[in-house]
Amino acid sequence: MPTRDDTAATPASAPAGLTASILGDDLSFLLARANALSLSAGNAALAVHDLKARSYAVLAAACATPPPSQRELADFLRLDPSQVVSLVDQLEQRGLVERRADPQDRRANAVVATAAGEALARDAQQTARRAEEAVHGDLDPDERRTLMALLRRLAFAS
Amino acid sequence: MPTRDDTAATPASAPAGLTASILGDDLSFLLARANALSLSAGNAALAVHDLKARSYAVLAAACATPPPSQRELADFLRLDPSQVVSLVDQLEQRGLVERRADPQDRRANAVVATAAGEALARDAQQTARRAEEAVHGDLDPDERRTLMALLRRLAFAS
DNA sequence: TATTGTTATACTCTATAACTATA
DNA sequence: TATAGTTATAGAGTATAACAATA
């Protein structure tokens, strides 16, 4: 639940009373707080490319094969379909993605990255990865793998 | 970065192309998606108590000893101080927390749960825990502990 | 009749700046 | 001079409903 966009960061430590409180072993809270830190670090870093975590996610997904439809993007990124419209609009105006009509289903638009979009996605991925490391830099590679595997099960449960 | 309040849920599974995309091993994205699922499940469940994840977090923190100041709440929950004002206002109007002037520093308000607040926090904690289990129910206790320990390091790094 | 994408709109959340009272 | 809390406000993010085109 927390989110705050402070680039010049909050002291991440907390009063002992609070870390030991009910919330201290609340998985949802830890998830929320970890996400908030990661999100603000990511947004700050991606600003160099004129992207945010959201738009980067759409761009990165548009590099997949086969390219996703807007509906698939909405489901995968957990965005409202109307939000996807506006994110794709912005990326399309910058020439980073294209809407390509699906010949199978003419209601659907595949969102596919242009060459410029793919290049930017690669750069932004590097940027994002470096920002991530600042957040979880003290996890060793094994721990990182473990964490990702467990998170993946939460993120794509059922 | 994703958040969407769909109670009647999205199919959590995703096109293989997307799970295998750049985002598939992006820790920030997994964190964001796992958090989004957990948050919407939490909000939906806590609605029974007229709480959301945010207000529940404030209430739960107000049960800690020593009771946190608003500034400490803001840092711990990663909320803006002005948001804390409004959340505390709401809880105070419902008689669930009180602002108690700190005799040491008369600028500061400790936010402390009332008896009713503590009772509700206990109920809500049960509710939240049950909702959590729906999200990460397929993790065994060991995996859950591991996940929490790793997340705690991200959430309170440095 | 249901679904994809779209638009418009209302609402919630978040960030910023200015102010007060204390320190 | 700096910090805790407050207020007001603007901006970003999110949800809802209605519609056209297609299935």
Side-chain angles (χ1 to χ4, degrees), chain A residues 44-109:
Chain A
L46 289 167
V48 178
H49 306 292
D50 238 306
L51 292 171
K52 295 190 168 193
R54 282 265 163 65
S55 40
Y56 168 63
V58 172
L59 179 59
C63 294
T65 48
S69 69
Q70 293 189 192
R71 155 61 61 185
E72 287 170 331
L73 281 176
D75 288 345
F76 186 62
L77 305 177
R78 288 192 61 80
L79 298 169
D80 200 84
S82 63
Q83 300 175 51
V84 174
V85 171
S86 118
L87 286 165
V88 171
D89 281 350
Q90 293 167 35
L91 294 173
E92 198 171 37
Q93 277 162 26
R94 293 171 62 185
L96 299 172
V97 304
E98 285 175 6
R99 277 178 240 244
R100 196 166 292 172
D102 181 344
Q104 312 293 300
D105 179 347
R106 279 162 43 216
R107 293 173 303 181
N109 292 329

Side-chain angles (χ1 to χ4, degrees), chain B residues 3-5 69-71 82 85 99 107-109:
Chain B
T3 296
R4 195 176 49 181
D5 212 344
S69 70
Q70 293 189 193
R71 155 60 61 182
S82 63
V85 170
R99 277 179 242 242
R107 294 173 303 181
N109 294 329

Side-chain angles (χ1 to χ4, degrees), chain B residues 56-141:
Chain B
Y56 168 64
V58 171
L59 179 59
C63 294
T65 48
S69 70
Q70 293 189 193
R71 155 60 61 182
E72 287 170 332
L73 281 176
D75 288 345
F76 187 62
L77 304 177
R78 285 191 63 80
L79 297 169
D80 198 84
S82 63
Q83 298 175 53
V84 174
V85 170
S86 119
L87 287 164
V88 171
D89 281 350
Q90 292 167 36
L91 294 173
E92 199 171 36
Q93 277 163 25
R94 292 171 63 186
L96 299 173
V97 304
E98 286 174 5
R99 277 179 242 242
R100 194 165 295 172
D102 181 343
Q104 311 293 299
D105 180 347
R106 280 160 44 215
R107 294 173 303 181
N109 294 329
V111 179
V112 45
T114 62
E118 288 192 343
L120 182 60
R122 268 191 299 274
D123 287 356
Q125 184 183 12
Q126 294 306 103
T127 304
R129 200 155 275 179
R130 252 175 281 121
E132 253 183 32
E133 274 161 23
V135 173
H136 61 260
D138 56 337
L139 298 188
D140 67 40

